[in-house]
Amino acid sequence: MLPSRSEVFVDSPTVPSGIDPTKAHPARRYNYWLGGKDNYAADRASADLVASGFPTVRTAALENRAFMRRAVTYLARERGVDQFLDIGTGLPSAGNVHEIAQSIIPSARVVYVDNDPIVLVHARALLTSSSQGATAYLDADLRDPRKILDHRDLARTLDLDRPVALMLIAVTHFLVDEDDPAGIVATLVDALPSGSFVVMTNATGDYLTPERYAENVEVNKRSGVPFRLRSAAEFAALLGDLEPLPPGICSVVEWRPDLEERAVLPTVEEVSMHCAVARVP
């Protein structure tokens, strides 16, 4: 039986199995920035600390989600991609990958991956597929890509002989250099057939002044969550030999913006997030 919402909401006396509410988690912190309620005091304290050094962090979170929606729409509508592997899913909110993809291709299939039990509880309860398509939810960590690739539910849901869009949205910046992020991405990409795509974002200090950059690095060190800002060159290194589609590596606000919906976009400084959509040859 799934826990009731009171069991997974803020500082509930009943904590789902596998959760340490005294330690901040990226998914719950992100949920707090987006105005959600599925977070604990440690998550909010960490999030507020990060915001003290980067006050527009909520704008960055919103723009990151907006980029994800544009990328999924483009891949489904323009490239015919109907399979998605979304690692670092985060807590469900409006406009999830399967909702966007299945609104274009009803038979689209999506596998969500996250390592926070709260995410899995909500995903299984709330993220329902269209009758023609399918979704699955894996309890796994990006740092163990083989566990993801070898999971039986991935094999049941996705056909790795056909193109897949690998979604790494706002998750690689939680991999520090010791995690070998380029090796992790390479392991995942090597399992994808030709014609697949990698959609990735990573926080950056490229658009910040030296003072703001130093402050951002400092507060992230103190936040309790490993975090790695990456330059455009470091971001490109994660993609290896993959060639990003136009407009290349850029700010998430600059990737095919929908100017019909919004005439004024946030600045690249306010968002400080690199992105790319790259094709697997």
Side-chain angles (χ1 to χ4, degrees):
M1 178 181 295
L2 293 174
S4 68
R5 288 183 68 80
S6 64
E7 289 178 313
V8 296
F9 263 30
V10 179
D11 294 330
S12 163
T14 302
V15 178
S17 176
I19 290 178
D20 182 352
T22 67
K23 294 183 179 180
H25 189 281
R28 300 193 301 268
R29 196 172 68 175
Y30 199 75
N31 171 261
Y32 172 65
W33 283 326
L34 294 178
K37 297 180 179 179
D38 297 295
N39 47 75
Y40 296 94
D43 305 309
R44 299 192 292 275
S46 175
D48 288 342
L49 178 60
V50 171
S52 71
F54 187 49
T56 56
V57 65
R58 183 173 184 274
T59 298
L62 290 168
E63 291 303 317
N64 198 69
R65 289 283 297 182
F67 161 75
M68 180 274 288
R69 290 191 288 268
R70 295 196 306 275
V72 171
T73 298
Y74 167 78
L75 291 177
R77 182 172 292 154
E78 305 297 330
R79 299 286 182 146
V81 176
D82 63 356
Q83 300 192 108
F84 295 82
L85 174 57
D86 183 7
I87 302 178
T89 301
L91 283 146
S93 60
N96 296 289
V97 170
H98 77 283
E99 294 170 320
I100 301 163
Q102 290 178 354
S103 72
I104 300 167
I105 305 176
S107 59
R109 308 173 75 84
V110 179
V111 170
Y112 291 107
V113 181
D114 208 287
N115 66 351
D116 183 354
I118 284 185
V119 172
L120 273 297
V121 166
H122 281 275
R124 288 172 176 146
L126 301 176
L127 299 184
T128 56
S129 171
S130 70
S131 58
Q132 301 100 313
T135 57
Y137 319 97
L138 313 186
D139 180 9
D141 194 304
L142 176 58
R143 295 175 183 84
D144 188 358
R146 287 282 12 138
K147 179 180 179 180
I148 297 171
L149 295 170
D150 295 338
H151 200 291
R152 63 182 183 181
D153 288 341
L154 185 145
R156 289 172 177 172
T157 310
L158 302 181
D159 178 1
L160 295 186
D161 290 327
R162 297 196 304 107
V164 175
L166 170 63
M167 311 294 294
L168 298 171
I169 303 296
V171 65
T172 56
H173 46 226
F174 298 117
L175 299 176
V176 296
D177 294 348
E178 290 77 10
D179 293 322
D180 185 21
I184 289 171
V185 175
T187 297
L188 293 166
V189 171
D190 287 347
L192 304 179
S194 175
S196 294
F197 292 87
V198 176
V199 182
M200 187 165 65
T201 71
N202 196 111
T204 184
D206 284 0
Y207 306 114
L208 303 176
T209 65
E211 293 77 17
R212 286 287 306 281
Y213 176 83
E215 185 177 13
N216 202 311
V217 170
E218 176 59 26
V219 296
N220 275 297
K221 284 182 179 178
R222 293 161 45 206
S223 72
V225 175
F227 198 81
R228 177 69 157 81
L229 297 170
R230 289 189 168 89
S231 67
E234 291 169 327
F235 183 89
L238 299 186
L239 292 172
D241 295 332
L242 300 184
E243 186 70 27
L245 302 179
I249 294 172
C250 60
S251 168
V252 294
V253 299
E254 296 175 325
W255 196 90
R256 301 172 186 259
D258 190 346
L259 299 178
E260 292 184 3
E261 287 190 4
R262 296 186 300 171
V264 179
L265 299 173
T267 66
V268 294
E269 294 83 1
E270 289 175 308
V271 178
S272 290
M273 188 80 64
H274 283 318
C275 73
V277 176
R279 186 179 183 277
V280 177

